[in-house]
Amino acid sequence: LYTATKCALHSIFESTKELLLDTNFKIGIVHPKRTKTKMLDSIKKDDLNPKYVAEEIFSFVQNMNKSSHTIIQ
């Protein structure tokens, strides 16, 4: 369900990006890898630090000059 939801959001992003192409509106979407959260504390994996993810999202938004997406790794 989680993966299907992410795919659906990306499809909505792509469709909306096309609709906004000739406007002054920008749309962005961020795809971070799995991020360390309390929900995942019991799983010891290579999760991203939440502060790092937040900084990357902030940088993405600050530098977004057209509709785009980013993958945080």
Side-chain angles (χ1 to χ4, degrees):
L1 183 62
Y2 178 77
T3 303
T5 303
K6 285 184 82 169
C7 288
L9 284 172
H10 188 76
S11 292
I12 291 169
F13 162 75
E14 289 294 334
S15 298
T16 305
K17 181 175 77 169
E18 293 299 318
L19 289 172
L20 299 175
L21 198 57
D22 295 326
T23 71
N24 289 328
F25 290 96
K26 294 179 263 184
I27 185 172
I29 190 168
V30 177
H31 300 284
K33 286 177 53 179
R34 191 166 66 194
T35 304
K36 184 176 180 163
T37 64
K38 290 181 182 180
M39 183 175 81
L40 299 175
D41 273 348
S42 63
I43 303 172
K44 301 296 180 201
K45 295 282 182 181
D46 232 4
D47 299 341
L48 294 176
N49 180 302
K51 184 176 180 181
Y52 169 76
V53 173
E55 290 169 350
E56 290 294 309
I57 292 170
F58 184 77
S59 176
F60 170 70
V61 172
Q62 289 283 339
N63 297 306
M64 194 170 74
N65 57 10
K66 63 179 182 175
S67 293
S68 61
H69 74 283
T70 188
I71 299 171
I72 300 174
Q73 299 185 9

